[in-house]
């Protein structure tokens, strides 16, 4: 199968070369990689250009440079990804990947994804797990996945059954049926729910993991409750569902004030949702069913 890799990037001079070198080392090389540089003001552009200039012609990399775009959590990365998508003809590809620019992949990562897509015709989204460093990062061990020093731990932001935002991959038919990615905060959960809506399987390989060089959304740590309210709105939750979901999150984090902050954020959202009425209905039913199934 032919893979399309799109890597949105902005000011990743410290990480992007690790990502590209780990792709260069893949045992599966039937891919085309588009790095979309969203107005970086550091050395990202030069680093990518130098890397590409040293590649053999049999391995395809392309750099696309954009003007700097306004930062919007969730929306910005999808719009940057879509710019990369517009630069190719999708008929040439079987699998579409959206990868972050601060990920190190094991050498067999794409090979194992390809094996799943080849053998399971219902696999719509596939990934490994995401781990973050516990304390230190040793350059000499960057591409070593034995982790004999136990320096990496699971990034516990969601279930191990969830295909995480930094390492998304989609069968092309699944991607097209769900009408691509939605440029809103929460896009990386919306895609999973829409894939399920269309009958696709979501698979994570528990013995396959990548190194995430920066924790996800670390810059929004202090705004977590506000972003959660925006997310509940974006995925189409109604007031009862939002209240229950907010309460569950508050109890989990042992923060009474979080509930009010989340709901205040939810209630002030006025923008047009990026989902159809049919999609919203499905997502609401899915959330209700998931709540009743949990003990």
């Amino acid at each position: 199968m032919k893979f399309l890799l799109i890597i949105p990037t902005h000011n990743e001079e410290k990480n992007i070369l690790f990502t590209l070198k780990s792709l260069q080392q893949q045992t599966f090389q039937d891919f085309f990689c588009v790095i979309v540089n969203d107005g970086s003001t550091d050395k990202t552009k030069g680093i990518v250009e130098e890397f590409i200039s040293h590649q053999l012609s049999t391995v395809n990399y392309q750099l696309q440079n954009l003007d700097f775009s306004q930062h919007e959590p969730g929306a910005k990365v999808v719009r940057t990804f879509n710019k990369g998508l517009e630069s190719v003809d999708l008929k040439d590809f079987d699998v579409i990947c959206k990868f972050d620019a601060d990920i190190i992949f094991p050498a067999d990562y794409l090979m194992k994804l390809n094996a799943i897509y080849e053998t399971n015709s219902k696999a719509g989204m596939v990934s490994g797990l995401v781990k973050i460093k516990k304390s230190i990062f040793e350059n000499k061990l960057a591409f070593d996945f034995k982790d004999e020093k136990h320096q990496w731990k699971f990034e516990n932001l969601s279930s191990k059954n969830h295909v995480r935002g930094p390492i998304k991959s989609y069968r092309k038919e699944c991607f097209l049926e769900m009408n691509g990615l939605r440029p809103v905060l929460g896009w990386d959960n919306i895609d999973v729910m829409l894939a399920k809506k269309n009958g696709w399987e979501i698979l994570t390989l528990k013995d396959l993991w990548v190194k995430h060089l920066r924790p996800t959304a670390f810059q929004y740590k202090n705004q977590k409750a506000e972003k959660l309210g925006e997310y509940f709105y974006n995925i189409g939750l109604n007031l009862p569902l939002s209240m229950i979901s907010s309460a569950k999150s508050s109890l989990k984090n042992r923060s009474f004030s979080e509930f009010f902050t989340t709901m205040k954020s939810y209630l002030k959202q006025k923008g047009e949702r990026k989902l159809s009425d049919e999609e919203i209905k499905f997502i609401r039913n899915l959330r209700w069913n998931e709540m009743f199934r949990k003990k």
Side-chain angles (χ1 to χ4, degrees):
M1 303 186 85
K2 181 78 170 183
F3 279 53
L4 170 64
L5 316 181
I6 299 180
I7 305 177
T9 182
H10 175 73
N11 287 351
E12 289 285 2
E13 64 179 5
K14 294 181 179 180
N15 302 314
I16 186 67
L17 196 55
F18 286 113
T19 300
L20 295 176
K21 283 185 175 180
S22 71
L23 293 176
Q24 182 185 36
Q25 296 171 12
Q26 293 296 302
T27 54
F28 178 91
Q29 285 287 318
D30 195 6
F31 65 80
F32 183 76
C33 180
V34 182
I35 302 100
V36 189
N37 174 33
D38 187 11
S40 294
T41 56
D42 64 359
K43 298 177 182 178
T44 296
K45 179 176 180 288
I47 290 171
V48 176
E49 287 176 336
E50 183 176 1
F51 173 83
I52 293 176
S53 71
H54 288 91
Q55 298 310 300
L56 299 175
S57 59
T58 54
V59 181
N60 296 310
Y61 294 87
Q62 172 184 298
L63 174 63
Q64 183 178 10
N65 291 301
L66 308 179
D67 293 332
F68 178 74
S69 61
Q70 182 178 357
H71 184 67
E72 294 179 81
K76 175 185 170 76
V77 70
V78 172
R79 291 188 179 120
T80 303
F81 168 85
N82 285 339
K83 288 293 184 180
L85 206 61
E86 292 167 5
S87 70
V88 300
D89 190 340
L90 284 184
K91 72 176 178 58
D92 297 328
F93 301 97
D94 304 294
V95 176
I96 300 167
C97 301
K98 177 266 166 200
F99 290 157
D100 279 8
D102 55 0
I103 298 291
I104 301 177
F105 297 93
D108 60 354
Y109 189 82
L110 294 180
M111 180 185 70
K112 289 188 174 181
L113 261 60
N114 181 68
I116 297 296
Y117 283 118
E118 288 275 14
T119 58
N120 183 352
S121 62
K122 293 305 293 179
M125 297 175 63
V126 186
S127 80
L129 301 181
V130 177
K131 292 188 178 183
I132 54 175
K133 57 185 181 294
K134 290 181 179 178
S135 56
I136 61 173
F137 176 69
E138 297 184 49
N139 282 0
K140 64 180 181 180
L141 297 176
F143 305 104
D144 173 40
F145 281 80
K146 296 178 182 177
D147 195 24
E148 293 174 345
K149 295 185 178 181
H150 305 291
Q151 295 177 325
W152 297 86
K153 64 179 180 179
F154 175 64
E155 190 174 23
N156 192 22
L157 295 179
S158 59
S159 163
K160 288 185 178 181
N161 295 316
H162 180 68
V163 174
R164 290 283 314 284
I167 51 171
K168 293 285 190 180
S169 83
Y170 311 85
R171 188 184 295 273
K172 181 175 66 175
E173 290 80 7
C174 172
F175 185 85
L176 294 175
E177 282 183 13
M178 65 187 193
N179 197 25
L181 306 183
R182 310 303 164 92
V184 293
L185 180 70
W187 67 269
D188 52 339
N189 284 312
I190 290 173
D191 62 348
V192 171
M193 293 184 282
L194 295 183
K196 290 179 179 179
K197 177 180 181 296
N198 290 300
W200 294 99
E201 294 180 10
I202 317 300
L203 304 172
T204 54
L205 308 181
K206 307 300 191 299
D207 61 344
L208 182 66
W209 59 282
V210 305
K211 297 178 179 180
H212 198 188
L213 299 178
R214 293 188 302 172
T216 299
F218 67 95
Q219 66 268 47
Y220 305 122
K221 186 177 181 180
N222 296 328
Q223 302 173 289
K224 182 179 177 182
E226 291 183 9
K227 298 302 179 187
L228 194 59
E230 183 180 347
Y231 163 69
F232 289 156
Y233 178 85
N234 288 341
I235 67 173
L237 300 193
N238 55 21
L239 184 59
L241 268 172
S242 295
M243 292 180 69
I244 294 171
S245 299
S246 298
K248 289 179 66 176
S249 179
S250 299
L251 287 171
K252 179 182 177 181
N253 296 320
R254 298 179 180 180
S255 174
F256 189 63
S257 63
E258 180 188 304
F259 172 81
F260 295 100
T261 303
T262 301
M263 289 308 302
K264 182 179 179 181
S265 173
Y266 169 84
L267 292 170
K268 77 176 184 181
Q269 302 300 319
K270 303 297 182 184
E272 182 181 356
R273 289 184 169 114
K274 304 296 184 181
L275 296 165
S276 68
D277 291 343
E278 181 185 356
E279 290 168 341
I280 289 174
K281 181 180 179 180
F282 174 83
I283 289 172
R284 289 177 180 177
N285 288 334
L286 180 66
R287 297 281 294 204
W288 281 120
N289 290 334
E290 288 175 345
M291 285 183 184
F292 287 125
R293 280 201 303 266
K294 292 179 179 178
K295 296 180 180 179

